[in-house]
Amino acid sequence: MTDLERVLIVLDDKSGHRSKAEGVVAALQRRLDLEVCSWSPSSRTFAIGKALRRTIPQLCSMLVPSCFESIDLVVGSGGNTLAHTFGAMRSLNAKGLFVGSTRGLENYDLQSVHADPMRDYGHFFPVLPPKFDINSLSEAWLSFAGEVGLPSEEAFDVLFFGGDGSGCSWGPDDLQSILELIKSSFDQTGRRWLISTSRRTPLWLEQELRRNIPEAAIADACWFGQGDQRRVVQPYLGAANRVFVSMDSATMMHEALFSGRPVSIVGDLNQIASRPHRASVDGLVQAGLLAQDPLNPETYLDDFADQLLRTMGLSGSGSSKR
């Protein structure tokens, strides 16, 4: 038995933060029967929350509405909602779990789960779970393939390219390496590519990719800089033979790993200027999760849930609800 029955997830408007918080809760649901509700605080309160957290954190409880009852665990992710997560934990007399850095609240009862080996607090895991499972990826691909007219049985190489951020920047040499990867793989294997860029992809780089990748090598591409904002991550992962992720996006690396496909990083890791991000990527390499045998999502999620419950001092581990 466990004393966790009802969970409140605190969400902002960033999909990456949502995926992390919902992914952790979904992993816990493999072991526990949890009722889940969510709260999306007004963005107008984010600045207030940050000010309270840095000065009088005990007053963060003022941010929480009175409509929540019988909450046993509060889970949040993303700096915008850290104060709200902490405030809800205190005002609702619940346990608190934050996915990421707790930024000055380390001495309180709010626990942290993260993928940063440089942090000397909280619960470190080399990969944090996304909110999808491998079966949903296959379903997403079948639906997508039907919509765009691609053969559902074909397997593809996949590239997810982020861009500038996390201490990473890109130049002409990086572009050439990416082009050589795509062209040589296509020439050697005949596998076509699914390619997605993002809002952080430099426009010049996206334009050069579009101009120089052979048309025959691309089965589908989501060029963000051209206004294509389709949600292709899960469909692409569902069709992947292997996945390549640019070195700037730890979140995308984690999601790709949970597809159960081999994952490789694109970019020169020595050019990552952010020490925490470099440490996170190095942690994946040292754990043997990149360019080797693919991660087993089911086994990893069970172990993740068991370890997290134990470190939080809770029961519920030892038997999967699947």
Side-chain angles (χ1 to χ4, degrees):
M1 297 293 292
T2 179
D3 54 356
L4 285 188
E5 295 182 358
R6 199 156 186 260
V7 177
L8 173 66
I9 306 180
V10 186
L11 302 170
D12 64 11
D13 57 355
K14 295 185 178 180
S15 60
H17 296 161
R18 287 174 171 262
S19 178
K20 290 177 181 178
E22 293 173 348
V24 167
V25 172
L28 293 177
Q29 286 180 302
R30 298 171 69 85
R31 296 307 199 205
L32 305 172
D33 289 312
L34 298 175
E35 178 185 350
V36 180
C37 57
S38 63
W39 170 37
S40 297
S42 169
S43 59
R44 292 176 295 181
T45 67
F46 290 164
I48 298 173
K50 290 178 180 178
L52 290 176
R53 170 170 57 82
R54 293 167 181 161
T55 55
I56 315 174
Q58 294 85 350
L59 295 184
C60 290
S61 301
M62 298 170 55
L63 300 167
V64 185
S66 59
C67 57
F68 302 112
E69 296 180 354
S70 302
I71 298 296
D72 303 306
L73 174 66
V74 181
V75 179
S77 178
N80 286 332
T81 62
L82 175 54
H84 301 72
T85 304
F86 178 66
M89 175 194 79
R90 291 177 64 89
S91 67
L92 298 170
N93 194 28
K95 292 182 178 295
L97 180 63
F98 195 76
V99 188
S101 170
T102 48
R103 291 182 181 85
L105 299 177
E106 298 89 347
N107 294 327
Y108 293 87
D109 291 335
L110 178 61
Q111 300 194 53
S112 168
V113 57
H114 58 79
D116 183 355
M118 293 183 67
R119 292 180 191 154
D120 58 1
Y121 62 88
H123 315 306
F124 167 75
F125 295 90
V127 190
L128 297 178
K131 62 182 178 181
F132 59 74
D133 61 45
I134 198 167
N135 293 323
S136 69
L137 297 183
S138 299
E139 294 167 2
W141 165 243
L142 290 174
S143 175
F144 182 87
E147 292 174 3
V148 301
L150 288 173
S152 60
E153 69 279 3
E154 185 174 353
F156 304 87
D157 288 337
V158 175
L159 171 63
F160 292 114
F161 195 88
D164 295 335
S166 300
C168 304
S169 58
W170 303 85
D173 289 345
D174 300 303
L175 168 66
Q176 190 59 37
S177 296
I178 296 169
L179 291 173
E180 290 176 358
L181 167 68
I182 294 172
K183 291 177 181 179
S184 63
S185 175
F186 178 65
D187 289 342
Q188 293 171 14
T189 69
R191 276 194 303 271
R192 295 189 292 169
W193 284 76
L194 304 173
I195 300 174
S196 177
T197 57
S198 81
R199 59 181 175 81
R200 294 185 290 105
T201 305
L203 186 57
W204 71 266
L205 194 149
E206 180 178 294
Q207 291 173 338
E208 289 299 314
L209 290 175
R210 295 178 61 230
R211 184 179 297 120
N212 291 285
I213 298 175
E215 184 176 346
I218 300 180
D220 189 77
C222 181
W223 304 113
F224 189 91
Q226 302 302 308
D228 190 344
Q229 298 186 31
R230 292 177 297 165
R231 297 182 179 276
V232 299
V233 172
Q234 293 188 36
Y236 280 12
L237 288 177
N241 176 74
R242 55 180 179 168
V243 185
F244 296 85
V245 182
S246 59
M247 63 184 178
D248 56 282
S249 181
T251 298
M252 193 66 255
M253 293 176 201
H254 292 191
E255 293 191 354
L257 284 165
F258 273 97
S259 70
R261 277 71 167 182
V263 178
S264 299
I265 296 178
V266 173
D268 181 359
L269 300 188
N270 292 322
Q271 300 301 314
I272 298 177
S274 167
R275 290 181 65 241
H277 181 63
R278 174 62 189 270
S280 295
V281 177
D282 285 345
L284 297 178
V285 175
Q286 293 164 7
L289 296 174
L290 297 173
Q292 299 186 36
D293 292 336
L295 176 146
N296 184 315
E298 302 290 351
T299 299
Y300 188 93
L301 285 171
D302 283 343
D303 290 344
F304 176 92
D306 289 343
Q307 291 184 48
L308 188 56
L309 286 169
R310 283 196 297 268
T311 54
M312 292 180 67
L314 298 169
S315 58
S317 62
S319 60
S320 175
K321 290 170 69 260
R322 290 179 289 113

